[in-house]
């Protein structure tokens, strides 16, 4: 275990909320990125959950919620009112703010953030990085990735994105303690090999593959195949990057970059 990884284990806790959702908790607060807490996608698209939500909107222990783009499994509009009523601050691209205020929620509670911009909020710095997520019929032209800086550590979340060299700007502010990267290879996302090539260039201390495990229609075999391909590619390209695989187990799915992840 590297000193950097040990520090992350001591100072930050990263919990998987299924799919692309994560909760990052540190000494100054907690931020949830792309938490999908409702059943809105079942109502809209017939997509049923494979597992219950880790937290409800009333339970989510975060003071900040970041949405990387407006798609409903990333910006959960059905949970927004409850979260807003709790006084939680929202951060995300302008398309998300438009949907937030379109539901009658207070404009001042949503901070718009575009690629290249940074804000300090609730004891952490959140920087928006480029993403390319141009799905026909569901264009998300202002989709972003984010880097969260807290307790001297930097955690990158790719959001949904295809590979583009501009994604490497995620490392511009300094070394990354962890990278949370989409690997599902459909719907405008990198496949496992593309994601591994990107991560090998980005060179975080550890990487967490994501964007799977939410829908009932997904098979365990498909998830295992994606993760295995990604892990083998990382091992071939740069074995110094630790791969931590998120899982659902017990009351909470926990990923700690130190490797203390309660693996199945």
């Amino acid at each position: 275990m590297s000193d950097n990884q040990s520090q992350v284990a001591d100072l930050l806790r990263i919990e998987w909320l299924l799919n692309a959702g994560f909760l990052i908790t540190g000494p100054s607060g907690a931020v949830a990125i792309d938490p999908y807490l409702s059943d809105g996608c079942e109502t809209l698209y017939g997509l049923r959950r494979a597992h219950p939500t880790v937290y409800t909107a009333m339970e989510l222990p975060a003071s900040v919620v970041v949405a990387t783009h407006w798609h409903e499994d990333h910006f959960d509009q059905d949970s927004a009112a409850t979260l807003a009523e709790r006084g939680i601050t929202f951060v995300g691209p302008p398309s998300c703010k438009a949907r937030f205020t379109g539901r009658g929620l207070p404009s001042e509670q949503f901070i718009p953030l575009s690629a290249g911009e940074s804000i300090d909020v609730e004891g952490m710095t959140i920087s928006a990085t480029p993403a390319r997520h141009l799905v026909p019929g569901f264009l998300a032209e202002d989709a972003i990735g984010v880097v969260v800086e807290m307790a001297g550590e930097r955690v990158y979340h790719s959001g949904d994105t295809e590979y583009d060299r501009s994604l490497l700007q995620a490392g511009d502010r300094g070394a990354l303690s962890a990278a949370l990267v989409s690997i599902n290879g459909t719907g405008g996302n990198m496949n496992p090999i593309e994601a591994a090539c990107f991560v090998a260039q980005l060179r975080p201390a550890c990487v967490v593959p994501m964007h799977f495990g939410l829908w009932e229609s997904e098979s365990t075999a498909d998830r295992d195949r994606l993760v295995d391909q990604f892990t083998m590619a990382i091992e071939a390209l740069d074995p110094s990057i630790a791969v931590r695989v998120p899982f659902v187990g017990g009351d909470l799915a926990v990923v700690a970059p130190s490797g203390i992840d309660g693996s199945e």
Side-chain angles (χ1 to χ4, degrees):
M1 182 194 310
S2 72
D3 290 342
N4 192 47
Q5 287 174 296
S6 178
Q7 290 170 7
V8 174
D10 292 339
L11 297 175
L12 298 184
R13 186 184 188 199
I14 303 175
E15 301 174 30
W16 188 44
L17 306 181
L18 296 167
N19 207 42
F22 288 87
L23 178 70
I24 304 171
T25 305
S28 58
V31 55
I33 305 174
D34 287 354
Y36 175 65
L37 311 176
S38 73
D39 292 310
C41 288
E42 182 176 359
T43 302
L44 289 169
Y45 309 116
L47 292 169
R48 297 186 62 182
R49 287 180 168 277
H51 303 279
T53 184
V54 177
Y55 297 106
T56 67
M58 285 299 297
E59 296 167 340
L60 184 69
S63 56
V64 179
V65 166
V66 176
T68 61
H69 60 288
W70 68 264
H71 293 166
E72 290 85 357
D73 58 332
H74 295 260
F75 177 41
D76 183 1
Q77 297 177 58
D78 283 6
S79 296
T82 298
L83 295 169
E85 287 170 4
R86 293 178 50 205
I88 290 173
T89 299
F90 285 76
V91 177
S95 61
C96 292
K97 180 170 185 177
R99 287 166 171 80
F100 184 85
T101 57
R103 287 186 168 240
L105 301 176
S107 176
E108 65 273 13
Q109 214 164 323
F110 197 113
I111 303 172
L113 199 65
S114 298
E117 298 177 342
S118 296
I119 58 164
D120 293 320
V121 58
E122 301 288 339
M124 64 192 83
T125 299
I126 300 174
S127 302
T129 64
R132 189 178 74 189
H133 192 47
L134 304 178
V135 183
F138 292 88
L139 296 183
E141 297 97 328
D142 59 357
I144 58 173
V146 293
V147 175
V148 175
E149 298 181 50
M150 188 173 11
E153 306 294 339
R154 297 180 181 87
V155 177
Y156 167 62
H157 186 294
S158 72
D160 279 6
T161 186
E162 297 174 343
Y163 176 76
D164 187 292
R165 187 163 181 80
S166 67
L167 271 60
L168 295 173
Q169 293 176 32
D172 285 354
R173 294 178 66 93
L176 297 168
S177 305
L180 320 173
V181 180
S182 292
I183 68 165
N184 62 317
T186 61
N189 280 316
M190 294 178 284
N191 65 34
I193 305 305
E194 293 167 334
C197 290
F198 165 56
V199 170
Q201 295 175 80
L202 194 62
R203 302 198 66 190
C206 78
V207 60
V208 180
M210 65 166 182
H211 212 302
F212 49 73
L214 179 57
W215 308 124
E216 190 177 66
S217 56
E218 294 176 325
S219 72
T220 300
D222 286 341
R223 170 209 156 149
D224 290 346
R225 174 182 54 81
L226 291 170
V227 170
D228 288 348
Q229 288 179 351
F230 178 76
T231 301
M232 288 188 291
I234 289 290
E235 290 174 350
L237 291 165
D238 189 343
S240 71
I241 301 172
V243 179
R244 305 297 178 212
V245 180
F247 70 99
V248 177
D251 294 328
L252 205 61
V254 177
V255 179
S258 66
I260 306 171
D261 61 3
S263 298
E264 296 167 303

